[in-house]
Amino acid sequence: MRTTTVVIGAGHSGLAMSRCLSERSIDHVVLERSEVANSWRTERWDSLRLLTPNWQCRLPGYTYEGDDPDGFMTMPEVAEFITDYAKLIAAPVRAGTTVNSVRRDDGEYRVTTDQGEWRCETVVLASGAFGVPRVPPFAHSVPLAVTMLTPLQYRNAEQLGEGGALVVGASATGVQIAAEIQRSGRQVTMAVGEHVRGPRMYRGRDIHWWMEAAGVLDERYDEVDDIVRARRVPSMQLAGSPERATFDLNALTGMGVKLVGRLAGINDGRAQFSGSLRNKCDLADLKLGRLLDTIDEWATANGLDDAVPPPHRFDSTAVDAAPPLGLDLGSGEIETIIWATGFRPDYSWLDVPVLDAKGMIRHDGGVVDSPGMYLIGSPFLRRRKSSFIDGARVDALELISELSAYLDRRGSPPGAGVNTGS
Ligand SMILES: Cc1cc2nc3c(=O)[nH]c(=O)nc-3n(C[C@H](O)[C@H](O)[C@H](O)COP(=O)(O)OP(=O)(O)OC[C@H]3O[C@@H](n4cnc5c(N)ncnc54)[C@H](O)[C@@H]3O)c2cc1C
């Protein structure tokens, strides 16, 4: 089968690209191993809600129009939102089609799936940046009596035994799961490394409203000092709850969660924590202060000071003077470990030499280091918000220009690959 562009993945990123391709009459298919919005349906825990406000759910030609713009969608609601988008734009999705290989062959791409082979001039990788949980290699030293779960396996606290839980990682996923388990009556210990602190509300408005207004979310990949590092920065400690609650470490210790330093290793069944907890928290407090300074400056420059409550600062993160540096995982105190240590993409099916030593795609703002190949949905792809729904909207609008310019250079008129039967 032949088409001009194969889009791999029918999450919001793939669909945003599909809408842009259709607008330019570029013939394409969207190949999806499961169904539209698969990751929101199958890879998220039960209580999860978006941490981005509903009003910020925007895709090319589509915005949230429900009756709760300041709320946070549940997972079934997100899946419905994205499914409705696919219908609205009549995206040519081939569901139940797993891509097993992408090869460059004779100046074009050969995309092999479990439903046959596609040949195309351009490929858009929209298969998701968060499909594989990152688990540290020393996880294999955890005693057998301790159950280990990744965020993809965690559904709710009832899945766990009654004993304590060690949540490793203090980003958005870690803090949300830790809070839920602690509320269920199980004692949570949280291992805290580098993290990004954020209040849900500041000066009467959502932190995402401020970050958008002040241009923080729109910061571009070619403007930051160190894009490699920026792409690795952990997600902000945020959750979307109807109460608009803040989920920083002070909120967690207020619930009874115990904080320890970064989990550095496991020796003879003993978890060893770094002594850097105070430093990591000081750094996060400092960075939060800088973010709030930026917001306050923007508010003043834009004449908002009389319209919103005055600037204020949050208490420093409180940590014990001497948090434990070790914990015997064989004592029975910890029954479950949750590895909230981040995610990575799965490109095991990509047979084009575009991966760096860390297994990440080499690209310049989504233009991959292989002619006619594009990436979307990856952290800080083109701007700070790239991995958010709203980020895919603007990134798709820019990437489509790159893609169609490439086709123009090749001399491929729109719709050139319509012959899908050959
Ligand atoms: C826990 C969590 C919470 C998040 N919360 C928010 C939030 O509140 N707000 C926000 O804006 N963003 C949030 N994100 C970030 C981001 O919006 C989501 O990760 C989103 O799912 C990314 O969309 P995507 O289309 O890029 O990728 P995905 O939604 O992952 O879609 C990729 C699709 O590709 C398919 N696929 C993968 N491999 C293949 C293959 N080989 N062949 C065929 N199909 C394949 C998958 O089945 C999947 O449907 C969150 C992410 C996570 C992990």
Coordinates of all heavy atoms in Angstrom, one line a residue, residues 142-147 329-330 334-336:
V142 N 15.9 -5.8 44.9 CA 14.9 -5.7 45.8 C 14.5 -7.1 46.3 O 14.3 -8.0 45.5 CB 13.6 -4.9 45.2 CG1 12.4 -5.0 46.1 CG2 14.0 -3.5 44.9
P143 N 14.3 -7.3 47.6 CA 14.0 -8.6 48.1 C 12.6 -9.1 47.5 O 11.7 -8.3 47.3 CB 13.8 -8.4 49.6 CG 14.6 -7.2 50.0 CD 14.6 -6.3 48.7
L144 N 12.5 -10.4 47.3 CA 11.4 -10.9 46.6 C 10.1 -10.7 47.3 O 9.0 -10.6 46.7 CB 11.6 -12.5 46.4 CG 12.6 -12.9 45.4 CD1 12.8 -14.4 45.4 CD2 12.3 -12.3 44.0
A145 N 10.1 -10.5 48.6 CA 8.9 -10.3 49.4 C 8.2 -9.0 49.1 O 7.1 -8.7 49.4 CB 9.1 -10.5 50.9
V146 N 9.0 -8.1 48.5 CA 8.5 -6.7 48.3 C 7.9 -6.7 46.8 O 8.6 -7.1 45.9 CB 9.6 -5.6 48.4 CG1 9.1 -4.3 48.0 CG2 10.2 -5.7 49.8
T147 N 6.7 -6.2 46.7 CA 6.0 -6.1 45.4 C 6.5 -4.8 44.7 O 6.5 -3.8 45.4 CB 4.5 -6.1 45.6 OG1 4.1 -7.2 46.3 CG2 3.8 -6.0 44.2
L329 N 14.7 -3.3 53.6 CA 13.5 -3.8 52.8 C 13.1 -5.2 53.2 O 12.1 -5.6 52.7 CB 13.9 -3.7 51.3 CG 14.1 -2.3 50.8 CD1 14.5 -2.4 49.3 CD2 12.9 -1.4 50.9
G330 N 13.9 -5.8 54.0 CA 13.5 -7.2 54.5 C 12.7 -7.1 55.8 O 12.3 -8.2 56.3
I334 N 8.2 -2.1 54.5 CA 7.8 -1.7 53.1 C 7.3 -3.0 52.4 O 8.0 -4.0 52.2 CB 9.0 -1.2 52.3 CG1 9.6 0.1 53.0 CG2 8.7 -0.9 50.9 CD1 8.6 1.3 53.0
E335 N 6.1 -3.0 52.0 CA 5.5 -4.1 51.3 C 5.5 -3.9 49.8 O 5.5 -4.8 49.0 CB 4.0 -4.3 51.8 CG 3.5 -5.7 51.6 CD 2.2 -5.9 52.2 OE1 1.8 -5.2 53.2 OE2 1.5 -6.8 51.7
T336 N 5.5 -2.6 49.4 CA 5.4 -2.3 47.9 C 6.3 -1.1 47.6 O 6.5 -0.2 48.4 CB 3.9 -1.8 47.6 OG1 3.0 -2.7 48.1 CG2 3.8 -1.7 46.1

